[in-house]
Amino acid sequence: MSIIDALNIAWTGIIAQQKGMDVTSHNIANADTPGYCRQIPILETIAPIGGVKVPHIIRAYDIFTTSMIHPKLSVVFDLEVGKKYLENIEGIFNETEDSGLRATLSDFFNSWEEIANNPSSLAERIAAIENGQELANKINTMYQDLENLRLNANSEIETTVEEINNITSQIAQLNVKIAEFEAGGENANDLRDKRNFLIEELSKLVGNHHIEDKDGKICIFIGKGSTLVQGKDYNSLEVKTDSGGNFRIILKVGSSEIDITDDINGGKIAGLLNMRDEVIPEYKNKLNALATSIIKEVNKQHSQGVGLTLFHETTGSYEVTDPNAQLASQASGLDFWDEIIEGNQFTIWVYDSSGTAVQNQITIQPGWSLNDLRNYINTNVNNLTANIVDGKLQLIADDGYSFGFSDDSSNILMALGINTFFTGKDAEDIGINSLISDNPEYIAAAKIENDGSFAPGDGRNAQEIANLQDNSIDELGDTFNGYLSSLVGEIGIKARGTYRNHDFHNSLLSSLKERRESIQGVSLDEEMTNLIKFQRAYEACIKIMQASDEMFEDLLQIK
């Protein structure tokens, strides 16, 4: 080997060690860069005895662990959404304080107990109205809080779709750059790190799987195989509002639009869809069931009684959409049409100025419409006029006359909102009948006797309303408080299960990340050791060049 060969070998060593120091410095600089994989210079001998070169710089990329991390991210972020929303739902149904729904419900029914004990007192009646209003407000607020939570999930879906589009467009651009770099023999390690980081961010948002082609480009699929990214192209997502005001997720493929809402699984967006379409509506429905049962049961019983004073005029609180339609059919438009029992009857008592009562028993005939009922009353009940005003039944007594109700086994009074306490049909619109709130004396605490008489000191009807608190309600399969307790317990169980699942999968994710970090993460101690190694080798190569140069000079001095 000649002196020139020694110089060349030293020169290749200097270049190689410099490259090693460059890579090490790059590793150190990116020690905290998200998604960065430690890079390793591969030194290779130049044969025969030609020195050293660095033909490749590879990534310490743990493909196996990474392939496990991506789907696990989708699971964790799906559960993360569930955890957040269930915490809010638990807060809405918070029964740990005296202001909870259970306490408010008990206060309401207890106030009827007070009326039963002192039916002639207005104070107890006003308290019942206030407690009823508080109950209605509490239920309204809980319903609206749930609806706001659902609307928030809907809004987050739109934002998440925008985030997905932003990520997929970047991945498609990186596909092109990586293919160009590697086709030209250039290193694309940093671009691959960035792309993998974006795939992980995408996995947080939506479950996906991907494959890489021979050119280094990746294709990404979501749902049941819908293509999101293919090489340099990506198919964008958009949201479209359905008839219920919910965003549907649409995949645009060329001029085609595919609704993939029901195919999406995993990631934040799947969690949001589950909350919006399944979990929140489920608890809204259960709150509605409770509110509807309270309205129906209290109104059924209230309509059987009489207040401290009789009616001279009253208008129902529920309207029909078609006065010619059968009352006991959905076509009538009544909220509680299915509660009407055709063939059963109710009684209207009409009183003259001396207190003499006339009993009018009315049987709800099969197929009767509101027009039929109005016409029957006008034809058969003296000194009382029935009208239909804005789809509601209105009853007006002649001058010097008044009227009351009893013995309604048809539920027609409840369905029409005549002589009832509550208005509304469910948790969204439950309220107090304004006739009652403005006139507490109309609270029907008493019952009309078979001879038409009634007494201010009679609290039997109020007691029966108070007893509803302990009655098992068919639609609920339990008492009001029992149903509410079960509902609150069910929410707690679901929340605890979600929290445990989240913690379990998050723990697995952390373990996977730690395992991957041990392989592809940057260790500053190790990099400093490498830096010193490359520096010493670099210095040694310089000394070889210096020695070779001296030998060459000595050779030139020989004469």
Side-chain angles (χ1 to χ4, degrees):
M1 184 177 66
S2 65
I3 295 174
I4 297 299
D5 289 336
L7 284 170
N8 285 334
I9 290 172
W11 175 247
T12 63
I14 289 173
I15 298 299
Q17 305 311 320
Q18 180 62 60
K19 194 67 172 178
M21 285 191 287
D22 290 344
V23 172
T24 302
S25 299
H26 189 59
N27 285 340
I28 293 172
N30 287 281
D32 296 321
T33 301
Y36 180 77
C37 290
R38 176 171 56 90
Q39 298 186 23
I40 305 169
I42 303 301
L43 277 65
E44 189 175 291
T45 300
I46 301 174
I49 315 179
V52 67
K53 61 181 179 179
V54 182
H56 306 292
I57 299 173
I58 64 171
R59 300 159 68 217
Y61 180 57
D62 184 358
I63 187 171
F64 176 72
T65 305
T66 299
S67 68
M68 297 173 67
I69 286 175
H70 290 165
K72 188 60 68 179
L73 279 167
S74 297
V75 172
V76 168
F77 276 79
D78 183 345
L79 291 169
E80 183 76 34
V81 171
K83 179 180 177 182
K84 180 180 77 171
Y85 276 82
L86 282 167
E87 285 174 348
N88 281 281
I89 293 172
E90 278 196 297
I92 293 170
F93 285 89
N94 182 12
E95 290 295 317
T96 60
E97 301 177 0
D98 292 338
S99 59
L101 180 56
R102 188 159 38 202
T104 307
L105 189 60
S106 294
D107 289 343
F108 170 70
F109 282 111
N110 290 340
S111 64
W112 286 95
E113 189 84 44
E114 296 297 323
I115 293 175
N117 292 332
N118 192 9
S120 61
S121 170
L122 281 178
E124 279 75 5
R125 292 167 179 265
I126 292 171
I129 292 170
E130 291 175 348
N131 286 334
Q133 189 61 64
E134 184 179 352
L135 175 62
N137 291 343
K138 181 71 175 176
I139 293 174
N140 293 155
T141 300
M142 291 172 69
Y143 179 90
Q144 194 56 55
D145 286 346
L146 287 172
E147 177 61 11
N148 289 339
L149 206 57
R150 190 192 68 80
L151 292 174
N152 185 72
N154 198 45
S155 178
E156 280 198 78
I157 288 170
E158 183 178 28
T159 303
T160 305
V161 164
E162 293 172 359
E163 293 177 27
I164 290 172
N165 286 336
N166 180 46
I167 290 173
T168 52
S169 66
Q170 292 183 67
I171 291 174
Q173 293 170 15
L174 285 169
N175 274 343
V176 174
K177 291 181 180 179
I178 290 169
E180 288 176 350
F181 271 55
E182 294 182 347
E186 295 185 62
N187 185 308
N189 287 345
D190 292 334
L191 295 177
R192 282 181 170 272
D193 285 345
K194 185 175 182 180
R195 185 176 68 182
N196 189 65
F197 174 74
L198 288 173
I199 293 173
E200 291 196 3
E201 292 299 298
L202 182 64
S203 297
K204 295 176 183 178
L205 301 178
V206 62
N208 66 86
H209 63 279
H210 61 274
I211 57 174
E212 183 174 334
D213 64 19
K214 59 183 179 60
D215 298 322
K217 299 174 183 176
I218 62 167
C219 296
I220 300 178
F221 308 94
I222 62 172
K224 295 180 178 178
S226 300
T227 303
L228 206 54
V229 177
Q230 186 165 17
K232 63 182 178 60
D233 301 315
Y234 76 98
N235 297 318
S236 63
L237 300 177
E238 66 177 30
V239 294
K240 287 193 173 182
T241 307
D242 64 15
S243 59
N246 291 329
F247 288 131
R248 303 290 295 180
I249 300 170
I250 308 299
L251 178 68
K252 299 189 70 175
V253 182
S255 59
S256 300
E257 295 185 346
I258 306 169
D259 189 334
I260 61 169
T261 308
D262 298 331
D263 298 335
I264 287 177
N265 55 76
K268 178 182 178 181
I269 200 164
L272 290 170
L273 287 169
N274 182 47
M275 287 297 119
R276 185 196 71 182
D277 298 338
E278 301 294 336
V279 176
I280 296 174
E282 176 187 356
Y283 294 127
K284 279 178 62 180
N285 290 339
K286 290 184 175 181
L287 181 62
N288 277 336
L290 176 62
T292 298
S293 293
I294 291 171
I295 293 168
K296 289 196 301 185
E297 296 304 318
V298 171
N299 283 353
K300 280 181 186 178
Q301 192 58 53
H302 193 275
S303 64
Q304 308 288 340
V306 64
L308 294 175
T309 184
L310 294 164
F311 293 109
H312 294 282
E313 176 183 334
T314 189
T315 302
S317 55
Y318 297 112
E319 65 184 63
V320 298
T321 55
D322 181 1
N324 291 309
Q326 181 183 0
L327 284 169
S329 73
Q330 194 170 8
S332 68
L334 287 172
D335 292 324
F336 300 122
W337 63 268
D338 54 338
E339 295 292 324
I340 298 172
I341 303 174
E342 294 180 329
N344 284 16
Q345 61 186 17
F346 72 102
T347 299
I348 301 179
W349 294 88
V350 179
Y351 298 80
D352 63 18
S353 57
S354 67
T356 301
V358 175
Q359 183 181 30
N360 300 275
Q361 291 182 329
I362 301 175
T363 300
I364 303 300
Q365 299 297 329
W368 259 14
S369 66
L370 189 59
N371 276 337
D372 293 326
L373 177 59
R374 176 198 61 187
N375 294 338
Y376 182 90
I377 292 172
N378 286 335
T379 302
N380 296 280
V381 181
N382 295 326
N383 304 305
L384 189 67
T385 300
N387 301 305
I388 298 175
V389 180
D390 298 327
K392 301 173 183 178
L393 181 66
Q394 180 188 67
L395 299 175
I396 303 175
D398 293 346
D399 288 344
Y401 289 85
S402 56
F403 59 94
F405 306 94
S406 71
D407 304 313
D408 181 12
S409 61
S410 68
N411 296 329
I412 191 67
L413 295 175
M414 181 276 291
L416 293 176
I418 299 288
N419 193 26
T420 51
F421 185 86
F422 285 115
T423 59
K425 66 182 184 301
D426 55 28
E428 182 180 15
D429 59 0
I430 182 175
I432 305 299
N433 191 330
S434 60
L435 182 65
I436 296 290
S437 59
D438 295 340
N439 305 278
E441 63 271 16
Y442 282 136
I443 285 182
K447 285 188 173 185
I448 297 176
E449 301 289 355
N450 292 334
D451 60 359
S453 63
F454 63 95
D458 178 14
R460 287 176 297 160
N461 204 47
Q463 185 61 58
E464 292 196 30
I465 293 176
N467 292 343
L468 291 174
Q469 181 173 210
D470 301 317
N471 293 348
S472 180
I473 309 302
D474 291 341
E475 289 86 347
L476 303 180
D478 205 337
T479 63
F480 293 125
N481 276 328
Y483 176 85
L484 180 57
S485 296
S486 296
L487 176 55
V488 172
E490 176 188 326
I491 293 170
I493 291 170
K494 188 176 187 69
R496 299 289 92 72
T498 300
Y499 301 160
R500 283 194 298 269
N501 280 340
H502 174 268
D503 292 345
F504 172 72
H505 287 285
N506 198 39
S507 177
L508 291 179
L509 178 62
S510 297
S511 297
L512 289 171
K513 285 183 174 181
E514 288 174 6
R515 186 194 309 171
R516 185 177 66 175
E517 185 67 16
S518 69
I519 296 172
Q520 64 185 45
V522 175
S523 166
L524 292 178
D525 290 339
E526 184 179 340
E527 296 303 323
M528 291 305 298
T529 300
N530 289 338
L531 188 62
I532 294 171
K533 180 182 69 175
F534 289 129
Q535 181 184 3
R536 295 291 180 264
Y538 181 91
E539 292 170 351
C541 289
I542 292 292
K543 290 186 180 296
I544 291 172
M545 291 195 73
Q546 289 173 341
S548 298
D549 183 61
E550 289 174 2
M551 291 172 64
F552 190 72
E553 288 294 329
D554 290 343
L555 186 62
L556 290 177
Q557 296 297 324
I558 298 174
K559 296 183 179 180

